[in-house]
Amino acid sequence: MRLAGPLRIVALVVSVGLTWILVSILLGGPGSGFPRIQQLFTSPESSVTAAPRARKYKCGLPQPCPEEHLAFRVVSGAANVIGPKICLEDKMLMSSVKDNVGRGLNIALVNGVSGELIEARAFDMWAGDVNDLLKFIRPLHEGTLVFVASYDDPATKMNEETRKLFSELGSRNAKELAFRDSWVFVGAKGVQNKSPFEQHVKNSKHTNKYEGWPEALEMEGCIPRRSTAS
């Protein structure tokens, strides 16, 4: 019985010592604050640094355009469901949201010097009057930029004069454009060479992405400002 007192003291000292060691481990040692306790309540996912988002520039381009260039993005319609889009210098010129697109050819005329929109219209190339389109593109002034995005059917009402006018604006594919093809194009009045900004996919039951329509097209880039526009 005489040993009970000393044994209790020893047990108390050992208990206090173990408690101190445990607390030191959890707290990370003297002067280190509470990092180890914080680690217990921090999930591995939250400790991983999130990857920085890729920066987007005008019209969603992955990099900025050089000085004296206009940033653009042209998207054709998808089948007869999703309308086309034409964006220039971060301004949406034509889209379903703006309620100014329609079946056929969607065309935006832009001043090649200032980059300002002149006029934007949709022309029904299935049931419309091709003369409306001809009146729109015949009197273009030198230096006018022409942005074109197809939707559903861009070509049924096209005639030889229409194809010739688009070819003179720099198109390579206007002469062969056919029923329900997908087409995006950027040209200009007075160009000497064919435009580098054109995409065309034929309507073919063997390769169509949608039932009765080819895939939608998306084209982006930087267009040099024109030196003159009369």
Side-chain angles (χ1 to χ4, degrees):
M1 298 298 293
R2 292 181 179 178
L3 295 175
L7 287 175
R8 289 178 179 175
I9 295 174
V10 172
L12 179 61
V13 171
V14 171
S15 177
V16 170
L18 291 174
T19 301
W20 173 254
I21 292 173
L22 180 61
V23 170
S24 297
I25 291 173
L26 289 175
L27 295 182
S32 59
F34 304 92
R36 299 200 181 183
I37 284 184
Q38 291 174 348
Q39 290 175 7
L40 294 177
F41 296 95
T42 303
S43 64
E45 291 81 3
S46 63
S47 63
V48 177
T49 303
R53 293 182 179 180
R55 183 176 177 183
K56 294 292 185 180
Y57 296 88
K58 291 178 179 179
C59 291
L61 270 63
Q63 57 188 12
C65 289
E67 290 186 12
E68 297 304 313
H69 283 66
L70 303 170
F72 77 90
R73 181 188 297 273
V74 180
V75 184
S76 72
N80 62 346
V81 179
I82 302 175
K85 297 178 182 178
I86 299 177
C87 175
L88 182 69
E89 286 292 284
D90 236 15
K91 296 178 181 179
M92 195 62 69
L93 305 184
M94 302 189 75
S95 70
S96 296
V97 174
K98 291 182 71 68
D99 195 26
N100 63 348
V101 297
R103 177 176 65 181
L105 294 177
N106 295 268
I107 304 177
L109 304 181
V110 172
N111 184 301
V113 177
S114 66
E116 294 298 318
L117 176 66
I118 299 171
E119 190 174 358
R121 286 184 59 185
F123 298 90
D124 188 343
M125 301 304 290
W126 170 255
D129 186 348
V130 71
N131 288 308
D132 293 336
L133 173 59
L134 290 172
K135 292 175 184 177
F136 190 69
I137 59 176
R138 274 175 185 154
L140 296 183
H141 296 300
E142 192 84 5
T144 301
L145 298 176
V146 182
F147 295 79
V148 184
S150 67
Y151 184 25
D152 189 4
D153 175 27
T156 295
K157 286 297 183 78
M158 268 198 176
N159 57 20
E160 286 303 312
E161 184 181 0
T162 310
R163 297 177 189 276
K164 181 175 181 292
L165 287 172
F166 278 119
S167 297
E168 291 173 352
L169 293 172
S171 172
R172 297 177 184 275
N173 303 121
K175 291 182 179 180
E176 60 187 61
L177 203 64
F179 174 67
R180 286 186 176 176
D181 286 0
S182 287
W183 186 44
V184 289
F185 166 65
V186 181
K189 179 69 174 180
V191 294
Q192 302 301 316
N193 301 308
K194 294 302 181 183
S195 171
F197 303 115
E198 184 174 26
Q199 293 182 20
H200 175 222
V201 176
K202 298 289 289 182
N203 169 27
S204 169
K205 63 180 181 180
H206 303 295
T207 58
N208 282 348
K209 181 175 182 179
Y210 311 105
E211 186 176 351
W213 289 270
E215 64 183 295
L217 295 174
E218 182 171 342
M219 181 174 65
E220 63 186 32
C222 304
I223 303 175
R225 290 181 185 270
R226 307 284 291 181
S227 56
T228 60
S230 54

